[in-house]
């Protein structure tokens, strides 16, 4: 009986780790379970505001599991399935909503260095574009129709803009993008996907400002000195 009780308690605690509030519901703490479930959902939705909300999400899940264990020591699950079901439904709705609102990606290449590094994991907000179009300087994810692959790039131009590149300088509607040299002789680690090894690439580091966004970029030192004029 003791072994069965311990197994069921551990299962309920694990359930609270995945769906905050489930263990509290099984322990007949209905309001407590609902509050934990709401806290879990809110923390997931706050990822839309800041990626650091992931830390809050993990903390809430762990804290909910610990609190569930304390509650379950005085009650034998599953005597209160109805209360647990409420928290489970709230958690399931929250996870479903987060899947609709967020999508995770892993950075595979150095094309967005130094803003995004190879191996970085990022979460993309898929909802805000429904009421706010992307702005210049923002980073977006899109399907490249020719390559039929997902790309992650920075927005340079929006609808109606004229974009030109002259002598390695980007012009938006005839105005050059604000660019400042940060470090002429810089370098970064790149990855050869064909051979699978890492190597050091020389670069010049610049800081660019587009709209309200300032960011650093790497450029080939030789291309910077030569510009875009053809050479043999």
């Amino acid at each position: 009986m003791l072994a069965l009780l311990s197994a069921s308690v551990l299962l309920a605690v694990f359930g609270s780790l995945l769906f905050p509030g489930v263990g509290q519901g099984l322990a007949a703490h209905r309001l407590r379970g609902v509050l934990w479930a709401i806290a879990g959902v809110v923390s997931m939705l706050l990822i839309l505001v800041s990626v650091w909300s992931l830390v809050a999400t993990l903390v809430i899940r762990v804290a909910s599991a610990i609190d569930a264990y304390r509650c379950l020591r005085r009650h034998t699950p599953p005597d209160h399935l109805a209360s647990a079901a409420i928290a489970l439904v709230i958690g399931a709705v929250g996870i479903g909503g987060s899947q609709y609102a967020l999508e995770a990606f892993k950075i595979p290449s150095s094309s967005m260095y130094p803003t995004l590094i190879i191996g970085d994991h990022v979460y993309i907000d898929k909802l805000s574009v429904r009421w706010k179009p992307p702005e210049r300087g923002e980073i977006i994810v899109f399907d490249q129709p020719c390559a039929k692959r997902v790309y992650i790039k920075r927005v340079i131009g929006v609808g109606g803009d004229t974009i030109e590149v002259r002598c390695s300088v980007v012009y938006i509607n005839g105005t050059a993008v604000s660019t400042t040299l940060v470090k002429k002789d810089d370098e970064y680690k790149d990855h050869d996907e064909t051979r699978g090894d890492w190597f050091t690439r020389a670069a010049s580091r610049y800081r660019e400002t587009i709209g309200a966004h300032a960011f650093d970029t790497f450029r080939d030192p030789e291309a910077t000195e030569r510009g875009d004029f053809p050479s043999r």
Side-chain angles (χ1 to χ4, degrees):
M1 181 66 181
L2 181 60
L4 180 60
L5 175 60
S6 299
S8 55
V9 168
L10 289 176
L11 185 60
V13 170
F14 181 72
S16 294
L17 194 61
L18 296 177
F19 298 96
V22 169
Q24 289 81 357
L26 290 172
H29 293 278
R30 177 174 296 182
L31 179 59
R32 200 166 183 167
V34 169
L35 292 177
W36 274 114
I38 293 175
V41 172
V42 170
S43 66
M44 286 191 296
L45 294 179
L46 284 177
I47 298 175
L48 295 172
V49 179
S50 173
V51 70
W52 292 106
S53 297
L54 280 172
V55 178
T57 299
L58 293 175
V59 170
I60 287 174
R61 291 175 183 272
V62 172
S64 173
I66 295 173
D67 183 63
Y69 175 74
R70 292 175 178 174
C71 295
L72 288 163
R73 285 188 304 177
R74 298 185 293 272
H75 294 80
T76 303
D79 292 340
H80 305 277
L81 292 178
S83 299
I86 295 174
L88 185 62
V89 169
I90 294 175
V93 171
I95 291 178
S98 65
Q99 293 296 319
Y100 179 75
L102 302 170
E103 188 170 354
F105 290 91
K106 183 179 179 180
I107 305 303
S109 69
S110 61
S111 63
M112 288 294 291
Y113 269 33
T115 303
L116 297 174
I117 309 300
I118 294 176
D120 279 354
H121 292 266
V122 297
Y123 280 88
I124 302 302
D125 164 23
K126 298 191 293 184
L127 285 183
S128 63
V129 292
R130 297 182 180 275
W131 60 79
K132 183 182 74 70
E135 300 176 355
R136 298 188 191 95
E138 287 186 328
I139 297 175
I140 63 170
V141 171
F142 61 96
D143 291 317
Q144 214 280 6
C146 297
K148 296 182 179 180
R149 295 177 56 188
V150 175
Y151 276 56
I152 179 166
K153 299 294 180 183
R154 192 179 300 277
V155 177
I156 300 297
V158 296
D161 284 347
T162 298
I163 308 299
E164 300 175 88
V165 180
R166 301 198 302 266
C167 299
S168 298
V169 178
V170 178
Y171 290 80
I172 303 176
N173 299 325
T175 302
V177 171
S178 175
T179 304
T180 304
L181 178 63
V182 176
K183 188 176 181 180
K184 183 178 180 180
D185 299 318
D186 205 348
E187 62 182 28
Y188 63 93
K189 293 290 185 180
D190 205 348
H191 184 256
D192 189 320
E193 296 183 9
T194 304
R195 296 180 300 181
D197 57 355
W198 292 84
F199 62 96
T200 301
R201 188 187 292 275
S204 295
R205 189 183 189 114
Y206 286 81
R207 181 158 299 141
E208 299 181 5
T209 302
I210 299 179
H213 302 271
F215 50 91
D216 284 7
T217 61
F218 284 133
R219 300 184 187 179
D220 184 344
E222 294 182 1
T224 302
E225 295 174 0
R226 186 176 64 244
D228 58 0
F229 192 85
S231 63
R232 298 191 181 188

